[in-house]
């Protein structure tokens, strides 16, 4: 069943990816902003989500849907499709060729702390790279099986990370990072969480760490990492989700969690002055 679900996800990711890539040849119109004036949504984000919702209504009418741009539908089958129609929207807006269509299908309650990801796809139409996985069936880039990198010592690890749309939170994230960067090989801030997680699965980076993400940013990427032999963890003993997500070789993740804790980088978001997270702003 998971292989069948993965094939649907691949098919639909390619359809939406072709639309998104084609629209990029023209002028991209910002349709609005969400949690802040730098958290933009383009008309193409909405068009891509509409396409994916409509196609899943045809193919999987009893499944639920949770989309970044607001489409939601309760599940009758116990499965829910968790969709980021364009992950890396700011990259897309600036025509930086590093964005994806990210599609996951989860069983159980469709929340990061309780779902089980059954299949996931992260597709970069700029590079025609289709990262995909079905639970217990491995992770792949196109037709090549993926395996996480052999872990280097932490001081030689390449860390992918990202920052929030809130300026207050970005300053806090940067403050923490400034205390860590000298203890790592280097960092990469590439702007697309799903492709960062795919990079961990493909051994292109050793670690990924980010806070304040939404469920659709990491749903598919989580499965790529675990099916490639990596681990996904929350921070500060909290479950994976908005509070934080860490991905990489289990030994490296454990070492990084400890370093983060030693500098107070794992305190709850609610404890960070000025970080008023309002659930209505969930992007
Ligand atoms: C983005 C993530 C990225 C994060 C950005 C933003 P979006 O998602 O993929 O990792 O750093 O702040 O959340 O908004 O492009 O779907």
């Amino acid at each position: 069943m998971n292989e069948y679900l993965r094939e649907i996800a691949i098919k639909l990711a390619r359809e939406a990816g072709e639309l998104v890539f084609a629209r990029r040849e023209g002028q991209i119109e910002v349709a609005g902003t969400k949690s802040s004036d730098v958290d933009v949504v383009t008309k193409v984000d909405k068009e891509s989500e509409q396409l994916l919702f409509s196609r899943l209504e045809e193919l999987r009418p009893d499944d639920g849907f949770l989309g970044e741009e607001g489409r939601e539908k309760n599940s009758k089958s116990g499965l829910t499709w968790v969709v980021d129609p364009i992950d890396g929207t700011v990259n897309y807006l600036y025509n930086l060729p590093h964005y994806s269509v990210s599609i996951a299908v989860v069983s159980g309650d469709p929340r990061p702390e309780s779902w089980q990801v059954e299949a996931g796809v992260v597709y970069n139409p700029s590079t025609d790279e289709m990262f995909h996985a079905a639970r217990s069936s491995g992770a792949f880039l196109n037709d090549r099986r993926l395996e996480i990198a052999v872990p280097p010592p932490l001081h030689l690890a390449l860390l992918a990370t990202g920052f929030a749309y809130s300026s207050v939170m970005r300053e806090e994230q940067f403050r923490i990072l400034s205390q860590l960067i000298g203890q790592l090989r280097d960092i990469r801030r590439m702007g697309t969480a799903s492709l960062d997680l795919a990079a961990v699965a493909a051994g292109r980076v050793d670690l990924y760490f980010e806070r304040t993400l939404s469920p659709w940013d990491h749903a598919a990427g989580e499965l790529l990492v675990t099916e490639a032999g990596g681990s996904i963890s929350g921070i500060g003993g909290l479950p994976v989700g908005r509070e934080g997500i860490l991905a990489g070789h289990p030994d490296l993740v454990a070492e990084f969690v400890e370093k983060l804790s030693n500098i107070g980088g794992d305190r709850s978001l609610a404890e960070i002055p000025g970080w008023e997270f309002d659930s209505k702003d969930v992007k």
Side-chain angles (χ1 to χ4, degrees), residues 34 38-41 45 68-69 84-92 98-100 161-166 170 173 189-196 208-214 216-218 242 283:
K34 296 180 280 190
V38 296
D39 182 1
V40 294
V41 55
D45 287 88
E68 172 174 17
E69 304 316 337
D84 195 334
I86 302 178
D87 187 27
T89 296
V90 174
N91 285 353
Y92 183 71
H98 194 79
Y99 51 86
S100 80
T161 190
F163 301 101
Y165 285 122
S166 149
R170 279 200 303 281
Q173 289 170 308
R189 197 296 191 242
M190 298 181 275
T192 304
S194 57
L195 287 174
D196 288 338
Y208 168 64
F209 167 56
E210 188 156 358
R211 305 193 73 179
T212 78
L213 290 179
S214 297
W216 36 78
D217 291 321
H218 57 82
R242 193 170 294 284
K283 40 178 201 72

Side-chain angles (χ1 to χ4, degrees), residues 139-206:
F140 297 82
L141 168 52
N142 298 335
D143 56 6
R144 179 167 65 86
R145 183 130 191 177
L146 297 179
E147 214 168 321
I148 58 164
V150 171
L154 188 62
H155 74 279
L156 294 179
L158 188 61
L159 170 78
T161 190
F163 301 101
Y165 285 122
S166 149
S167 57
V168 166
M169 193 61 206
R170 279 200 303 281
E171 287 168 348
E172 164 68 9
Q173 289 170 308
F174 194 77
R175 184 183 68 81
I176 293 296
L177 201 60
S178 66
Q179 297 179 59
L180 292 169
I181 195 161
Q183 302 171 61
L184 299 161
R185 175 189 292 276
D186 201 346
I187 68 156
R188 292 292 182 272
R189 197 296 191 242
M190 298 181 275
T192 304
S194 57
L195 287 174
D196 288 338
L197 288 160
V200 171
R204 294 176 174 175
V205 295
D206 299 303

Side-chain angles (χ1 to χ4, degrees), residues 16-36:
E18 285 166 359
L19 177 144
V20 166
F21 189 70
R23 292 283 187 276
R24 189 48 270 191
E25 294 309 301
Q27 191 59 34
I28 299 301
E29 192 181 327
V30 173
T33 57
K34 296 180 280 190
S35 62
S36 75

